Amino acid sequence: MTNTDLKALELLFQRPLEPVFTTRDQGKVVLELPDSFYTDRYRNDTVAVSNRFSQDVDLKIPVQELANKPNLDFAKKLGRKNQFSLFNDRHREIASQLITLFMGAPNLKQFVSLAAYTKDRLNPVLFQYAYAVAIAHRPDTREVPITNISQVFPSNFVEPSVFRDARQEAATIGDSGERVHVDIPRNYTASDREFEQRLAYFREDIGVNSHHWHWHLVYPTTGPTEVVNKDRRGELFYYMHHQILARYNVERFCNNLKRVQPLSNLRVEVPEGYFPKILSSVNNRTYPARVSDQLLKDVDREDAAIEIAEVERWRDRVLAAIDQGFVEDPSGTRTPLDEVRGIDILGNMIEASPVLSINSQFYGNLHNQGHTIISFAHDPDARHLEEFGVMGDVTTAMRDPIFYRWHGFIDSIFNKFKVRLDPYNAAQLGFDGVSVDYVEAKIGTSNARPNTLITYWQKSSADLAAGLDFGPAADGNIFASFTHLQNAPFTYTFNVTNRGARRTGTCRIFICPKVDERNQPLRLEDQRLLAIEMDKFTVELLPGENTVRRQSTESSVAIPFERSFRPIGAAYQPKAADELARFRFCGCGWPQHLLLPKGNAQGMLFDLFVMISDYSQDSVVQPNTPNDSCSTAYSFCGLKDKLYPDRRTMGFPFDRRLPNANLTEMVGAFQNMAKTDLKIVFNDRVVDKP
């Protein structure tokens, strides 16, 4: 790839609402387009606009003419100022055709040309989604960094008054180095009279919502087979969302709230209201609110029509399949829902990938259409010409308390299947000759007590310039400061005895809450469903005693702050080859700053659980594909172009029923497991990010 190809592809993530011919990269770079690329609005002014934007730039990148202009009629049903939703069947089909078009570009230069030509002729959010999917999956774009969605469309993540302040700062202070950081307010969506607002720091976290978008980008439900049909995709849909729900429920305990009540009945009033107070990037309207005690109704709109009764039929068919132990394809052929493939089959049915579902006509599209019904609760028949609420958009859905209730219901279906399976037995859980003798987690300060971890608030900043279309920020950065939960880094130390020859194990680390919001002890079955995966990695065990140390920042679950909120532009990219490799395509993963639950001021107690399993039963023979540098957060995101790197079912050993009465008894029965009490103390102070 030439440097100009790389640069051109990066530029198309910036200023998403502006025409392709305007300057990007802080006003330093411009794409030189063939006359035929200009839309009808500018076709008679190509010389004037080209001259205007090509002055005083450092780099002009010529874009190659297209051999054949694509027919984009398939996308006309989605207007440029309409909202785009991955939960909408029509929108997903349009996105599928666009992804197929992008994937089919014969070479890199033609892909650049195709993207530049289509950008100004398509809905901006549709374009950015399909374009990012293609960048993530084309073999010739491995080195292209995908800009975080919060920096492409910041209005989906930030309270609107921030943009007024940002544009004022950019217009009045010419030197971007002298501009002050604009503050994003905290807790702006509700007062403390609303109990659910105690969890706003989690639901409205920029990193959490960026993760949700990026996961659906890596695992689309429609498109070419090579894009959609990934190893254990359905199981990963289940497990990633299951872990989000477990984390959310534990956060609720930290804030004296009970677990979410699954939204199993779509015909009763929804007590939780939500007023998001954020703008849609494409039409500059606020996302509609849902009032308290809203009654859900059938959706009857031009681009979305779904009856609650139809969703209920799909639910009943999926539940019946679990009870029967098999699913049927359109020809009537039965496939058993066994302990190996059953969860994967169910995941692809419930999220309903048309490519992967065993029978999408019969089992339907339960997860997505539930999102659709909820997202149009305020205007189900379009009489008020309102677009969908935040539940209709993967970049915003996790902001709404009802997201967790809906996924609580979806998770209950998966758990119904899991409960059908036999409990794990000794052969599956044990590792003969290996014992975990000591477990500790400790922060880095010299006087720190073992197994006492600290959380606090941190003030950080992100650059909004790339997403501030038609504003005065082209000549520099515009940083916004926001406050989020953070944890002090810590180190795990485990002593492991190997009474045998040298061998390899898989170290699995979870934390399980010990009590609920009323300080009542949790049963093992409750702990199983609330277990939070913290890390997973292989260990080489020498004969005798081994000491295993692992930094919390190395977690297989999370990605560091810098990968989520890196500044835009070449000046901010690392120069060293190894650092640059780690920097690229690493956007999928749980945010490191939310690796730990909040805890509380007194110190919330957890079981820190450690298990060493037999790697010979865990290992996966990978295909001979190029190594990808962004493999750290594989627990939730898998490995790019590879098989999921753990043969066990995701969440093992807590994904199924366990053979013991409680966690203490289980650890006592298996030497390759250990646990200790862990305390998480919340310090209610704000620390500036260094």
Side-chain angles (χ1 to χ4, degrees):
M1 183 193 300
T2 65
N3 288 333
T4 54
D5 289 330
L6 171 63
K7 175 59 68 176
L9 292 170
E10 286 187 53
L11 294 178
L12 291 175
F13 285 114
Q14 298 180 24
R15 316 302 280 266
L17 305 183
E18 292 188 13
V20 176
F21 54 74
T22 61
T23 57
R24 282 165 171 76
D25 212 14
Q26 302 175 16
K28 297 180 175 62
V29 187
V30 70
L31 300 179
E32 293 187 318
L33 305 178
D35 287 350
S36 63
F37 278 42
Y38 288 83
T39 59
D40 292 343
R41 168 63 185 87
Y42 302 107
R43 188 153 291 157
N44 296 326
D45 302 302
T46 56
V47 175
V49 296
S50 176
N51 288 340
R52 177 185 175 188
F53 288 102
S54 61
Q55 296 177 3
D56 301 322
V57 297
D58 296 339
L59 178 64
K60 300 177 183 179
I61 301 177
V63 175
Q64 192 179 72
E65 180 66 86
L66 277 172
N68 295 295
K69 301 293 194 302
N71 183 346
L72 300 177
D73 287 348
F74 68 87
K76 286 184 176 179
K77 292 179 180 178
L78 181 62
R80 283 183 53 79
K81 293 184 180 180
N82 293 127
Q83 290 276 59
F84 168 73
S85 173
L86 283 176
F87 303 121
N88 182 297
D89 286 344
R90 179 187 291 184
H91 296 184
R92 286 195 304 157
E93 181 53 38
I94 293 171
S96 174
Q97 293 185 59
L98 186 57
I99 293 166
T100 302
L101 182 67
F102 286 159
M103 293 295 292
N107 55 55
L108 204 60
K109 286 192 178 298
Q110 284 290 288
F111 176 47
V112 172
S113 298
L114 186 62
Y117 176 82
T118 57
K119 179 182 177 298
D120 292 344
R121 291 169 168 82
L122 297 168
N123 177 281
V125 184
L126 164 70
F127 171 83
Q128 288 293 335
Y129 168 72
Y131 177 65
V133 170
I135 292 284
H137 292 89
R138 283 181 63 98
D140 55 3
T141 53
R142 289 179 178 276
E143 298 183 10
V144 179
I146 296 177
T147 302
N148 187 283
I149 191 66
S150 65
Q151 293 169 293
V152 179
F153 293 114
S155 62
N156 284 27
F157 299 84
V158 175
E159 198 271 333
S161 67
V162 170
F163 300 108
R164 178 199 62 201
D165 297 341
R167 289 189 169 96
Q168 176 179 331
E169 188 70 16
T172 54
I173 307 298
D175 184 353
S176 63
E178 298 296 322
R179 295 171 185 164
V180 299
H181 290 204
V182 179
D183 266 336
I184 300 173
R186 297 171 63 183
N187 296 328
Y188 59 85
T189 47
S191 73
D192 58 8
R193 296 179 65 180
E194 172 54 68
F195 290 156
E196 295 296 331
Q197 194 63 11
R198 298 180 197 174
L199 273 295
Y201 69 89
F202 182 98
R203 290 185 284 101
E204 296 169 1
D205 183 85
I206 295 174
V208 160
N209 287 276
S210 299
H211 159 71
H212 192 230
W213 172 82
H214 207 121
W215 189 93
H216 283 277
L217 182 151
V218 176
Y219 291 96
T221 56
T222 55
T225 302
E226 69 271 20
V227 169
V228 177
N229 191 13
K230 294 189 174 73
D231 181 49
R232 297 169 68 178
R233 186 209 170 281
E235 183 180 6
L236 201 49
F237 168 78
Y238 145 72
Y239 186 60
M240 192 277 287
H241 288 89
H242 169 79
Q243 278 290 295
I244 286 176
L245 190 64
R247 287 176 170 275
Y248 185 70
N249 276 319
V250 172
E251 293 291 343
R252 295 178 71 84
F253 290 168
C254 296
N255 290 278
N256 300 315
L257 294 173
K258 63 182 180 181
R259 275 169 282 191
V260 293
Q261 184 69 32
L263 187 65
S264 54
N265 186 350
L266 296 178
R267 296 185 183 274
V268 297
E269 291 181 343
V270 177
E272 299 90 353
Y274 187 62
F275 291 73
K277 301 179 182 63
I278 52 173
L279 295 177
S280 158
S281 298
V282 294
N283 56 26
N284 215 38
R285 294 180 182 177
T286 57
Y287 277 85
R290 184 185 63 258
V291 297
S292 300
D293 301 317
Q294 177 76 62
L295 188 66
L296 303 179
K297 296 181 180 179
D298 297 341
V299 174
D300 183 17
R301 302 170 65 99
E302 182 181 355
D303 66 341
I306 182 67
E307 296 178 354
I308 292 175
E310 189 169 20
V311 173
E312 290 170 334
R313 284 193 294 274
W314 296 338
R315 173 203 63 195
D316 293 343
R317 289 168 182 172
V318 172
L319 292 174
I322 293 172
D323 286 335
Q324 293 165 339
F326 62 83
V327 292
E328 292 187 273
D329 69 13
S331 69
T333 302
R334 295 179 176 181
T335 301
L337 293 173
D338 59 28
E339 65 180 46
V340 178
R341 293 193 57 233
I343 192 69
D344 194 50
I345 292 169
L346 283 172
N348 285 325
M349 276 172 39
I350 289 173
E351 200 198 8
S353 164
V355 180
L356 302 179
S357 175
I358 201 96
N359 190 345
S360 59
Q361 189 66 36
F362 184 73
Y363 295 111
N365 193 356
L366 181 59
H367 165 262
N368 287 359
Q369 293 293 35
H371 269 269
T372 299
I373 288 171
I374 296 166
S375 72
F376 284 119
H378 57 285
D379 193 17
D381 58 4
R383 70 179 61 197
H384 299 295
L385 303 180
E386 285 287 313
E387 294 269 19
F388 52 74
V390 293
M391 274 289 282
D393 188 337
V394 294
T395 64
T396 57
M398 287 185 66
R399 302 174 72 88
D400 192 331
I402 206 171
F403 172 90
Y404 305 91
R405 292 195 60 204
W406 179 239
H407 274 275
F409 165 65
I410 296 295
D411 195 65
S412 72
I413 297 177
F414 288 122
N415 190 52
K416 178 182 174 66
F417 164 73
K418 289 285 189 176
V419 169
R420 277 187 67 253
L421 304 175
D422 293 333
Y424 281 120
N425 58 41
Q428 294 166 313
L429 293 173
F431 190 7
D432 287 342
V434 172
S435 62
V436 181
D437 307 315
Y438 178 75
V439 171
E440 175 188 285
K442 187 177 179 181
I443 62 176
T445 56
S446 57
N447 59 346
R449 285 185 291 180
N451 302 318
T452 299
L453 304 181
I454 306 295
T455 63
Y456 52 91
W457 302 120
Q458 183 176 76
K459 179 168 281 191
S460 301
S461 59
D463 186 9
L464 302 181
L468 287 180
D469 302 274
F470 304 109
D475 58 346
N477 304 101
I478 298 293
F479 283 98
S481 296
F482 56 99
T483 303
H484 57 86
L485 191 66
Q486 183 59 283
N487 58 84
F490 56 94
T491 303
Y492 300 106
T493 302
F494 311 136
N495 292 342
V496 182
T497 301
N498 173 18
R499 289 179 292 277
R502 178 171 180 162
R503 48 187 159 172
T504 305
T506 303
C507 186
R508 303 169 187 274
I509 307 174
F510 292 82
I511 58 172
C512 306
K514 294 173 77 74
V515 297
D516 63 13
E517 80 284 358
R518 297 181 296 115
N519 209 36
Q520 296 300 304
L522 291 167
R523 300 175 303 136
L524 178 58
E525 181 66 7
D526 293 319
Q527 285 191 297
R528 180 181 76 77
L529 293 172
L530 295 167
I532 294 173
E533 182 175 338
M534 298 295 291
D535 204 350
K536 180 167 55 181
F537 55 95
T538 57
V539 288
E540 293 299 321
L541 300 175
L542 300 175
E545 294 183 2
N546 296 259
T547 300
V548 178
R549 288 189 175 86
R550 175 84 164 180
Q551 304 299 317
S552 62
T553 52
E554 298 177 284
S555 171
S556 64
V557 171
I559 57 172
F561 183 91
E562 287 71 22
R563 291 186 186 170
S564 295
F565 304 104
R566 56 195 178 206
I568 307 300
Y572 295 95
Q573 294 188 13
K575 300 299 186 289
D578 59 337
E579 292 181 17
L580 185 60
R582 287 192 295 272
F583 181 86
R584 289 171 174 151
F585 193 90
C586 297
C588 185
W590 189 252
Q592 180 79 42
H593 59 270
L594 287 179
L595 179 64
L596 282 181
K598 180 182 175 184
N600 57 36
Q602 297 76 36
M604 184 169 172
L605 281 178
F606 292 81
D607 281 315
L608 171 59
F609 172 88
V610 180
M611 173 185 189
I612 309 287
S613 60
D614 185 349
Y615 184 71
S616 67
Q617 298 183 35
D618 309 334
S619 62
V620 173
V621 178
Q622 295 287 1
N624 187 21
T625 55
N627 288 326
D628 187 78
S629 58
C630 298
S631 60
T632 52
Y634 73 81
S635 287
F636 288 180
C637 299
L639 294 180
K640 190 168 182 284
D641 301 325
K642 294 179 182 292
L643 302 177
Y644 192 82
D646 184 1
R647 203 189 320 162
R648 308 273 192 167
T649 47
M650 297 175 196
F652 173 79
F654 291 108
D655 67 298
R656 274 166 59 183
R657 288 179 297 145
L658 296 163
N660 306 97
N662 54 60
L663 201 56
T664 300
E665 182 182 299
M666 186 172 84
V667 166
F670 296 95
Q671 290 188 330
N672 60 313
M673 303 177 188
K675 76 176 183 69
T676 191
D677 284 355
L678 176 75
K679 185 183 291 187
I680 300 179
V681 179
F682 171 63
N683 191 335
D684 192 7
R685 63 190 177 98
V686 179
V687 175
D688 288 335
K689 189 177 189 300

PDB file of all heavy atoms in Angstrom, residues 500-517:
ATOM      1  N   GLY A 500       4.425 -32.912  37.943  1.00  0.00           N
ATOM      2  CA  GLY A 500       4.583 -33.712  36.734  1.00  0.00           C
ATOM      3  C   GLY A 500       5.568 -33.051  35.808  1.00  0.00           C
ATOM      4  O   GLY A 500       6.298 -32.119  36.196  1.00  0.00           O
ATOM      5  N   ALA A 501       5.617 -33.511  34.549  1.00  0.00           N
ATOM      6  CA  ALA A 501       6.523 -32.936  33.558  1.00  0.00           C
ATOM      7  C   ALA A 501       6.037 -31.551  33.146  1.00  0.00           C
ATOM      8  O   ALA A 501       4.909 -31.151  33.448  1.00  0.00           O
ATOM      9  CB  ALA A 501       6.612 -33.859  32.347  1.00  0.00           C
ATOM     10  N   ARG A 502       6.900 -30.835  32.442  1.00  0.00           N
ATOM     11  CA  ARG A 502       6.535 -29.503  31.946  1.00  0.00           C
ATOM     12  C   ARG A 502       5.279 -29.598  31.078  1.00  0.00           C
ATOM     13  O   ARG A 502       5.142 -30.482  30.241  1.00  0.00           O
ATOM     14  CB  ARG A 502       7.687 -28.921  31.128  1.00  0.00           C
ATOM     15  CG  ARG A 502       7.372 -27.566  30.526  1.00  0.00           C
ATOM     16  CD  ARG A 502       8.593 -26.937  29.916  1.00  0.00           C
ATOM     17  NE  ARG A 502       8.281 -25.646  29.333  1.00  0.00           N
ATOM     18  CZ  ARG A 502       9.172 -24.708  29.037  1.00  0.00           C
ATOM     19  NH1 ARG A 502      10.464 -24.940  29.289  1.00  0.00           N
ATOM     20  NH2 ARG A 502       8.803 -23.571  28.515  1.00  0.00           N
ATOM     21  N   ARG A 503       4.354 -28.687  31.293  1.00  0.00           N
ATOM     22  CA  ARG A 503       3.128 -28.677  30.498  1.00  0.00           C
ATOM     23  C   ARG A 503       2.530 -27.270  30.482  1.00  0.00           C
ATOM     24  O   ARG A 503       3.000 -26.368  31.187  1.00  0.00           O
ATOM     25  CB  ARG A 503       2.129 -29.687  31.036  1.00  0.00           C
ATOM     26  CG  ARG A 503       1.906 -29.640  32.533  1.00  0.00           C
ATOM     27  CD  ARG A 503       1.032 -30.805  32.964  1.00  0.00           C
ATOM     28  NE  ARG A 503       1.179 -31.096  34.375  1.00  0.00           N
ATOM     29  CZ  ARG A 503       0.417 -31.960  35.017  1.00  0.00           C
ATOM     30  NH1 ARG A 503      -0.533 -32.609  34.374  1.00  0.00           N
ATOM     31  NH2 ARG A 503       0.604 -32.208  36.300  1.00  0.00           N
ATOM     32  N   THR A 504       1.483 -27.129  29.683  1.00  0.00           N
ATOM     33  CA  THR A 504       0.864 -25.822  29.476  1.00  0.00           C
ATOM     34  C   THR A 504      -0.543 -25.828  30.045  1.00  0.00           C
ATOM     35  O   THR A 504      -1.271 -26.824  29.941  1.00  0.00           O
ATOM     36  CB  THR A 504       0.805 -25.482  27.971  1.00  0.00           C
ATOM     37  OG1 THR A 504       2.113 -25.584  27.420  1.00  0.00           O
ATOM     38  CG2 THR A 504       0.278 -24.071  27.746  1.00  0.00           C
ATOM     39  N   GLY A 505      -0.919 -24.727  30.644  1.00  0.00           N
ATOM     40  CA  GLY A 505      -2.273 -24.567  31.160  1.00  0.00           C
ATOM     41  C   GLY A 505      -2.888 -23.274  30.670  1.00  0.00           C
ATOM     42  O   GLY A 505      -2.205 -22.396  30.130  1.00  0.00           O
ATOM     43  N   THR A 506      -4.196 -23.160  30.846  1.00  0.00           N
ATOM     44  CA  THR A 506      -4.907 -21.912  30.566  1.00  0.00           C
ATOM     45  C   THR A 506      -5.360 -21.331  31.896  1.00  0.00           C
ATOM     46  O   THR A 506      -6.081 -21.994  32.654  1.00  0.00           O
ATOM     47  CB  THR A 506      -6.133 -22.146  29.671  1.00  0.00           C
ATOM     48  OG1 THR A 506      -5.721 -22.769  28.454  1.00  0.00           O
ATOM     49  CG2 THR A 506      -6.822 -20.825  29.359  1.00  0.00           C
ATOM     50  N   CYS A 507      -4.922 -20.132  32.188  1.00  0.00           N
ATOM     51  CA  CYS A 507      -5.302 -19.458  33.426  1.00  0.00           C
ATOM     52  C   CYS A 507      -6.573 -18.652  33.174  1.00  0.00           C
ATOM     53  O   CYS A 507      -6.608 -17.794  32.285  1.00  0.00           O
ATOM     54  CB  CYS A 507      -4.173 -18.544  33.900  1.00  0.00           C
ATOM     55  SG  CYS A 507      -4.490 -17.794  35.502  1.00  0.00           S
ATOM     56  N   ARG A 508      -7.603 -18.939  33.954  1.00  0.00           N
ATOM     57  CA  ARG A 508      -8.906 -18.284  33.803  1.00  0.00           C
ATOM     58  C   ARG A 508      -9.229 -17.535  35.093  1.00  0.00           C
ATOM     59  O   ARG A 508      -9.273 -18.139  36.163  1.00  0.00           O
ATOM     60  CB  ARG A 508      -9.986 -19.327  33.489  1.00  0.00           C
ATOM     61  CG  ARG A 508      -9.678 -20.148  32.250  1.00  0.00           C
ATOM     62  CD  ARG A 508     -10.618 -21.347  32.095  1.00  0.00           C
ATOM     63  NE  ARG A 508     -10.183 -22.196  30.986  1.00  0.00           N
ATOM     64  CZ  ARG A 508     -10.518 -22.013  29.711  1.00  0.00           C
ATOM     65  NH1 ARG A 508     -11.332 -21.012  29.392  1.00  0.00           N
ATOM     66  NH2 ARG A 508     -10.062 -22.818  28.774  1.00  0.00           N
ATOM     67  N   ILE A 509      -9.456 -16.241  34.967  1.00  0.00           N
ATOM     68  CA  ILE A 509      -9.673 -15.396  36.140  1.00  0.00           C
ATOM     69  C   ILE A 509     -11.064 -14.766  36.058  1.00  0.00           C
ATOM     70  O   ILE A 509     -11.424 -14.156  35.045  1.00  0.00           O
ATOM     71  CB  ILE A 509      -8.615 -14.286  36.240  1.00  0.00           C
ATOM     72  CG1 ILE A 509      -7.197 -14.877  36.174  1.00  0.00           C
ATOM     73  CG2 ILE A 509      -8.802 -13.481  37.517  1.00  0.00           C
ATOM     74  CD1 ILE A 509      -6.107 -13.822  36.120  1.00  0.00           C
ATOM     75  N   PHE A 510     -11.835 -14.929  37.123  1.00  0.00           N
ATOM     76  CA  PHE A 510     -13.162 -14.320  37.242  1.00  0.00           C
ATOM     77  C   PHE A 510     -13.272 -13.656  38.605  1.00  0.00           C
ATOM     78  O   PHE A 510     -12.578 -14.033  39.548  1.00  0.00           O
ATOM     79  CB  PHE A 510     -14.267 -15.381  37.143  1.00  0.00           C
ATOM     80  CG  PHE A 510     -14.414 -16.025  35.794  1.00  0.00           C
ATOM     81  CD1 PHE A 510     -13.585 -17.072  35.415  1.00  0.00           C
ATOM     82  CD2 PHE A 510     -15.399 -15.601  34.912  1.00  0.00           C
ATOM     83  CE1 PHE A 510     -13.727 -17.688  34.182  1.00  0.00           C
ATOM     84  CE2 PHE A 510     -15.550 -16.211  33.677  1.00  0.00           C
ATOM     85  CZ  PHE A 510     -14.714 -17.252  33.299  1.00  0.00           C
ATOM     86  N   ILE A 511     -14.170 -12.676  38.696  1.00  0.00           N
ATOM     87  CA  ILE A 511     -14.599 -12.204  40.008  1.00  0.00           C
ATOM     88  C   ILE A 511     -16.109 -12.422  40.100  1.00  0.00           C
ATOM     89  O   ILE A 511     -16.837 -12.218  39.127  1.00  0.00           O
ATOM     90  CB  ILE A 511     -14.228 -10.737  40.299  1.00  0.00           C
ATOM     91  CG1 ILE A 511     -14.820  -9.787  39.264  1.00  0.00           C
ATOM     92  CG2 ILE A 511     -12.727 -10.574  40.395  1.00  0.00           C
ATOM     93  CD1 ILE A 511     -14.643  -8.313  39.632  1.00  0.00           C
ATOM     94  N   CYS A 512     -16.558 -12.868  41.269  1.00  0.00           N
ATOM     95  CA  CYS A 512     -17.974 -13.160  41.501  1.00  0.00           C
ATOM     96  C   CYS A 512     -18.431 -12.387  42.727  1.00  0.00           C
ATOM     97  O   CYS A 512     -17.774 -12.452  43.778  1.00  0.00           O
ATOM     98  CB  CYS A 512     -18.196 -14.650  41.751  1.00  0.00           C
ATOM     99  SG  CYS A 512     -17.537 -15.752  40.490  1.00  0.00           S
ATOM    100  N   PRO A 513     -19.532 -11.641  42.622  1.00  0.00           N
ATOM    101  CA  PRO A 513     -20.026 -10.955  43.826  1.00  0.00           C
ATOM    102  C   PRO A 513     -20.438 -11.976  44.878  1.00  0.00           C
ATOM    103  O   PRO A 513     -20.965 -13.044  44.559  1.00  0.00           O
ATOM    104  CB  PRO A 513     -21.236 -10.161  43.298  1.00  0.00           C
ATOM    105  CG  PRO A 513     -21.681 -10.902  42.079  1.00  0.00           C
ATOM    106  CD  PRO A 513     -20.429 -11.461  41.461  1.00  0.00           C
ATOM    107  N   LYS A 514     -20.208 -11.639  46.126  1.00  0.00           N
ATOM    108  CA  LYS A 514     -20.546 -12.558  47.222  1.00  0.00           C
ATOM    109  C   LYS A 514     -21.956 -12.295  47.761  1.00  0.00           C
ATOM    110  O   LYS A 514     -22.607 -13.210  48.276  1.00  0.00           O
ATOM    111  CB  LYS A 514     -19.519 -12.424  48.358  1.00  0.00           C
ATOM    112  CG  LYS A 514     -18.119 -12.868  47.981  1.00  0.00           C
ATOM    113  CD  LYS A 514     -17.121 -12.547  49.083  1.00  0.00           C
ATOM    114  CE  LYS A 514     -17.192 -13.504  50.250  1.00  0.00           C
ATOM    115  NZ  LYS A 514     -16.610 -14.824  49.937  1.00  0.00           N
ATOM    116  N   VAL A 515     -22.399 -11.034  47.668  1.00  0.00           N
ATOM    117  CA  VAL A 515     -23.709 -10.673  48.234  1.00  0.00           C
ATOM    118  C   VAL A 515     -24.469  -9.810  47.231  1.00  0.00           C
ATOM    119  O   VAL A 515     -23.886  -9.232  46.308  1.00  0.00           O
ATOM    120  CB  VAL A 515     -23.563  -9.907  49.565  1.00  0.00           C
ATOM    121  CG1 VAL A 515     -22.899 -10.786  50.614  1.00  0.00           C
ATOM    122  CG2 VAL A 515     -22.771  -8.616  49.372  1.00  0.00           C
ATOM    123  N   ASP A 516     -25.797  -9.714  47.442  1.00  0.00           N
ATOM    124  CA  ASP A 516     -26.614  -8.888  46.560  1.00  0.00           C
ATOM    125  C   ASP A 516     -26.732  -7.479  47.130  1.00  0.00           C
ATOM    126  O   ASP A 516     -26.012  -7.108  48.066  1.00  0.00           O
ATOM    127  CB  ASP A 516     -27.979  -9.532  46.329  1.00  0.00           C
ATOM    128  CG  ASP A 516     -28.798  -9.661  47.619  1.00  0.00           C
ATOM    129  OD1 ASP A 516     -28.433  -9.032  48.646  1.00  0.00           O
ATOM    130  OD2 ASP A 516     -29.806 -10.389  47.603  1.00  0.00           O
ATOM    131  N   GLU A 517     -27.707  -6.691  46.603  1.00  0.00           N
ATOM    132  CA  GLU A 517     -27.842  -5.291  47.020  1.00  0.00           C
ATOM    133  C   GLU A 517     -28.313  -5.168  48.474  1.00  0.00           C
ATOM    134  O   GLU A 517     -28.155  -4.111  49.095  1.00  0.00           O
ATOM    135  CB  GLU A 517     -28.798  -4.555  46.067  1.00  0.00           C
ATOM    136  CG  GLU A 517     -30.283  -4.775  46.306  1.00  0.00           C
ATOM    137  CD  GLU A 517     -30.800  -6.135  45.821  1.00  0.00           C
ATOM    138  OE1 GLU A 517     -30.003  -6.919  45.243  1.00  0.00           O
ATOM    139  OE2 GLU A 517     -31.998  -6.413  46.023  1.00  0.00           O
TER     140      GLU A 517
END
